[in-house]
Amino acid sequence: MSVALTGLAPELKSSTDQADFLPSRYESAQVMKIQEESFPQQETPAAVVVFQRDDGAALTDADKATVAKVTEGLQAKRYETFESVTTSPEAVSKDGKMALASIISTEKDPAAEAGFESLRRLRTDGRAALQDTGLKMGVTGPVALMLDAQEAAGDTDAMIMMATLVLIIVLLGAIFRSPLIALLPVLMIALMFITANGLIATASELFGLEADASNSAILIVVLFGVGCDYILFLLFRYREYLRAGQEPKQALIDSVSRVGETIASAAGAVIVAFLGLVFSSMGNMRAMGPSLAIAVAVTLVAALTLVPAVFSLLGTKAFWPSKAWKRTPRTRMADRAGDVASRRPGLVAVVATGLLAVLAVGAFGFKPGFDQESTLPKTLESIRTNADLQKSFSAGETEPSLVFVKAKDGGRLDRAALDTFRTSIAAVDDVGGVAQPVLSPKGDVALYSVVLKFRPSSDQAIELVAGDLRDAVHENAPEGTKTLVGGKTAVLADIEDAVEHDYRLVFPVAALAIMLILGLLLRSIVAPLYLMLAVGLGFTATLGSAVYLFQNIRGEEGLLFSLPIVVYLFVVAIGTDYNILMVARLREEVRNGRSTADAVRLAVSRSAPTIGSAAVILAGTFGVLMLADNSMLQQMGFAVAFGILLTAFIMALLLVPTLTALIGPKAWWPGNRSGHGPEAHEDPATGLRQEEPATTGSHV
């Protein structure tokens, strides 16, 4: 089936069009539509070349002549995606130390591979032309920034993939001491990825599902995360039954019947969490949600069919050459954790809650940052050149904001009114300059390029555009016109508003859906309530930890604006698997007639190896991101890795079982309110629990 889906599925395309990210109600999205309709041939600024002397002195007349000659030479090269490379006497800074050349593209999306290749060639040609002239050049601007960011991330992507594979293979090999078990999950997850990609592309084609091939990287991480979790859930229970003396076939059947419901519920919780993204205002989030949900659904089906089938065929040979599967090892740490949780549930719950609460306080200081340029390595050419440019020019020179004036009746605009309007925009504080308006062919739309004194993606620029600039543009609109502000900074301002909207809507919807699934799994109303409270505490503790480290200790101005979404996707959604596994094991022990202490002790000690192994693999995968020379990736890596470890070791192994013990039988209300279930005893010959009719007594 995977081969058929790969061969027959349509191609899944990527999109970098900002219109795909924001709905039409946002002003910056409306600007894009007006720009396409009124200025279809409008040239797009792709990059800026900055010329300066090696010694930092002012440019001489000979230097300026060299700049003009080199620029003409670059123009003569006729790069595939560049319409022109031009300079002028006016492009020299007021202090005389720098000269600029503008690279113009007629491509709608100049930041595509063809545009990147043109820029690479231009950089090489320009440096060759400047040899022995005493001048140097650097290229910055939107295409240069994206090219440098992509190339810097290329090594990181490869490093993450390699680290993921090594971690999974090494840790699984160490846990099970079998090369087959170390390699099989990787091969099966690769098959799941192929199948999921085919289904996503097919669903996109048949049902108009929004999907984006650029989500492949996050898709891989999700599949490795949930895939390893579900395989480990099954293998640990399978090995437990083998050690108890069951035949391999029966052990596998019992493992699937016991853990299958847990895996299905865990997958259901992750699926609805991802589907909650369809309520997002952001087009890329709406595209990501269904795609990830399909991937998890494929993983669920494979975990309940493909994985058992493979291990059924292999039998105990899957553990070759190790014989460790035959005997139960001494798990001192897991047993000790189970003993402490069962004997002192109140103390453990207070300590665990206190630790999470202290970390959660930091979340109140979370400051979203949209200046992704500041997270890139300072050694990149575009970043260094941009810093140089700001010494002599306004920082917004590379990507001006766009202001449109459109006649409501479709008539021609009044030139005098446009000049007055331009003066009012130029008077706004921190606006570095406003170009003369460009009129559309019909004369009903005017376009102004507005240079800000701040970098286009900086927090100051976003605040200026969202506040004073838009206010001035709207308040001073010529009579009978509609005015709008667009461009990169305006898009970021609207994204900020959209993200805040999503936080208020997506999170509550997903939380309610997850609670419903937990209620169906546990046949309880009470348990899902405190489980979700614990999840919420874990979420804020994770975010707070990132604030403490990056804002308070490292002194960064803000965190990645989408970090809460990232934590939601990987810590809340996937991390909930561990809580579900724990509470399902608690319920199982209760139904087998265990007392409160025994249920907690056994659930913790027997679930700890599974949860711990799965969490270390997933956290380690994301932890590799902290090695990247990119603050954004470091923040993401730390938050997810630390959040997964918090969820697994503090919440799932300590807080959830001790809260369940403290609440007692009421935790399962209105299901098994008395806690009575089939009483169990262990067969001394096999070690398996044999169920008998329940006797009266007080249980969890």
Side-chain angles (χ1 to χ4, degrees), residues 609-631:
T610 309
I611 293 174
S613 301
V616 167
I617 290 174
L618 185 59
T621 300
F622 279 94
V624 175
L625 289 172
M626 296 186 67
L627 301 176
D629 190 14
N630 183 318
S631 178

Side-chain angles (χ1 to χ4, degrees), residues 101-441:
S102 298
I103 301 175
I104 302 298
S105 173
T106 54
E107 298 286 325
K108 180 180 178 182
D109 181 13
E113 184 54 40
F116 290 159
E117 182 57 31
S118 294
L119 187 59
R120 292 188 190 100
R121 289 178 50 212
L122 183 141
R123 280 175 166 172
T124 302
D125 294 340
R127 291 191 184 97
L130 287 175
Q131 284 186 354
D132 302 324
T133 63
L135 297 175
K136 62 181 179 179
M137 62 166 271
V139 185
T140 187
V143 177
L145 283 166
M146 292 189 70
L147 170 60
D148 290 347
Q150 183 188 79
E151 291 183 343
D155 295 338
T156 301
D157 289 345
M159 177 179 64
I160 294 168
M161 178 57 69
M162 183 58 65
T164 300
L165 295 176
V166 170
L167 276 170
I168 292 175
I169 292 172
V170 170
L171 290 177
L172 288 178
I175 293 166
F176 293 97
R177 302 175 189 177
S178 164
L180 274 176
I181 292 183
L183 293 173
L184 278 174
V186 174
L187 297 176
M188 287 188 282
I189 292 171
L191 188 62
M192 296 174 201
F193 175 72
I194 293 171
T195 306
N197 251 351
L199 281 175
I200 292 167
T202 303
S204 176
E205 184 76 13
L206 293 178
F207 306 110
L209 173 71
E210 291 186 54
D212 192 338
S214 61
N215 290 331
S216 290
I218 197 169
L219 192 67
I220 291 172
V221 176
V222 167
L223 281 169
F224 273 115
V226 298
C228 280
D229 280 0
Y230 301 161
I231 292 171
L232 286 174
F233 290 177
L234 187 65
L235 285 180
F236 271 94
R237 184 59 70 96
Y238 177 45
R239 190 175 65 176
E240 181 181 330
Y241 284 143
L242 287 175
R243 286 170 171 170
Q246 283 193 353
E247 290 298 316
K249 294 283 186 183
Q250 189 59 46
L252 198 57
I253 292 171
D254 288 350
S255 298
V256 174
S257 64
R258 284 288 191 183
V259 183
E261 185 182 15
T262 302
I263 292 175
S265 300
V270 176
I271 288 170
V272 298
F274 287 156
L275 286 177
L277 293 176
V278 300
F279 296 102
S280 172
S281 300
M282 305 280 290
N284 59 333
M285 289 293 154
R286 289 197 306 274
M288 185 187 298
S291 298
L292 295 179
I294 290 173
V296 175
V298 169
T299 308
L300 168 62
V301 173
L304 299 181
T305 56
L306 174 64
V307 176
V310 169
F311 284 98
S312 178
L313 291 172
L314 292 173
T316 56
K317 294 184 179 66
F319 298 97
W320 180 88
S322 173
K323 303 293 184 182
W325 63 270
K326 293 182 177 181
R327 58 186 182 275
T328 303
R330 297 183 64 183
T331 52
R332 294 181 179 177
M333 292 185 64
D335 292 342
R336 187 174 299 172
D339 287 340
V340 172
S342 63
R343 292 177 182 176
R344 306 292 296 274
L347 176 62
V348 173
V350 168
V351 172
T353 303
L355 173 62
L356 293 173
V358 169
L359 294 176
V361 170
F364 292 102
F366 173 72
K367 180 183 177 183
F370 293 81
D371 188 4
Q372 295 188 24
E373 290 177 28
S374 65
T375 68
L376 294 173
K378 302 299 184 288
T379 55
L380 297 181
E381 178 181 333
S382 55
I383 301 297
R384 287 188 288 104
T385 303
N386 207 6
D388 289 342
L389 181 146
Q390 293 175 46
K391 298 174 183 177
S392 300
F393 290 93
S394 293
E397 192 80 39
T398 56
E399 259 182 296
S401 291
L402 305 177
V403 174
F404 285 81
V405 179
K406 182 177 181 180
K408 294 179 179 179
D409 59 3
R412 295 190 67 84
L413 295 169
D414 179 66
R415 188 74 195 196
L418 292 179
D419 291 339
T420 302
F421 178 70
R422 175 174 175 264
T423 302
S424 65
I425 301 174
V428 175
D429 290 341
D430 296 318
V431 167
V434 182
Q436 291 290 339
V438 177
L439 290 176
S440 64

Side-chain angles (χ1 to χ4, degrees), residues 583-605:
V583 80
R585 188 64 187 247
L586 281 167
R587 186 193 61 173
E588 181 182 329
E589 300 300 340
V590 166
R591 288 182 169 179
N592 287 328
R594 300 290 184 184
S595 66
T596 299
D598 279 348
V600 171
R601 179 177 59 81
L602 289 172
V604 172
S605 63

